[in-house]
Amino acid sequence: MATQTYERSDSLVSSLYDRLQSIVCAFVLLLCGAIGFAGTLGAAHILTPLAASTITYEIIEPQTPAYSAVAMGESAALTPLSSVFTPQVQYWAPLINAWAIAFQMDPNLIATVIQIESCGDPSVGSSAGAQGLFQVMPFHFAPGEDMLDVQTNAARGLNYLAGGLAKANGHVGLALAGYNGGHGVIDRGWATWPAETQRYYYWGSRIYSEATSGTGSSPTLQEWLTAGGGSLCTRAQATEDQLTQQQAGY
């Protein structure tokens, strides 16, 4: 009889333990489910407004390249003209400084263009049809304009150069490439440029950089003279001698 009572007690305890274990497991599962649901609901509450709304960004201070103000503006226009340019270009120094003020442009950039294009010869023309001190193509002139008139030639050439500077965001090398090869090259890669434009970029950007460095010399300009620029300057000197004689009344 005692043995039978013990067996019933053991069976009852085991049954209660199994039930308790089942209840605990169920409670844990319910708790995990509740936590998971709450987390999902919270995430949905946080993310839904972001997905549904449009995020607006405000530019407080636009970033412009450091070089953008080097060759343009009032300060650039007042930059002293470097002594590195050849005497044939220095001949035009008073006008170069006046054009710098008028076009709000570094006079050294203007002198760089004159140096490479004509070396100061206002009467020179190219086989492609470019004319005068700035070697401006005929289609830049208005009908009836004298393409060799120094002031007219400068106005047309510098207007085009200023447009290139604006398109290139002040990048002198790209503006010079655009002056030679057309503004379309500014947005294209170096490899797509004609060989002449690549050389122009090389000569122009380096001469300008050396002219504005304050060193008082331009190895690149000397290289340009040796590469063929010297003959252009010889012709320019002859033209300027004639102009000097005419002004003196000879």
Side-chain angles (χ1 to χ4, degrees), residues 22-163:
S22 298
I23 293 171
V24 170
C25 289
F27 178 76
V28 170
L29 289 174
L30 287 173
L31 182 61
C32 290
I35 293 173
F37 177 76
T40 302
L41 185 63
H45 178 73
I46 293 172
L47 295 177
T48 299
L50 292 178
S53 63
T54 301
I55 301 175
T56 303
Y57 297 94
E58 180 181 0
I59 299 176
I60 304 299
E61 184 177 352
Q63 293 184 353
T64 55
Y67 54 70
S68 63
V70 171
M72 300 185 298
E74 183 177 354
S75 178
L78 297 175
T79 304
L81 181 63
S82 173
S83 61
V84 304
F85 299 103
T86 60
Q88 298 82 15
V89 174
Q90 298 286 351
Y91 176 89
W92 300 100
L95 282 177
I96 290 173
N97 287 319
W99 292 328
I101 298 298
F103 288 90
Q104 294 290 280
M105 190 181 299
D106 187 347
N108 292 291
L109 180 55
I110 298 174
T112 297
V113 172
I114 294 174
Q115 183 72 73
I116 299 174
E117 292 288 356
S118 67
C119 195
D121 187 349
S123 65
V124 70
S126 74
S127 58
Q131 300 291 316
L133 195 65
F134 288 86
Q135 287 294 276
V136 184
M137 293 298 288
F139 52 78
H140 289 293
F141 295 93
E145 286 187 324
D146 183 356
M147 293 185 291
L148 294 180
D149 175 73
V150 172
Q151 292 287 9
T152 302
N153 194 272
R156 298 294 172 248
L158 292 175
N159 270 325
Y160 194 67
L161 180 59

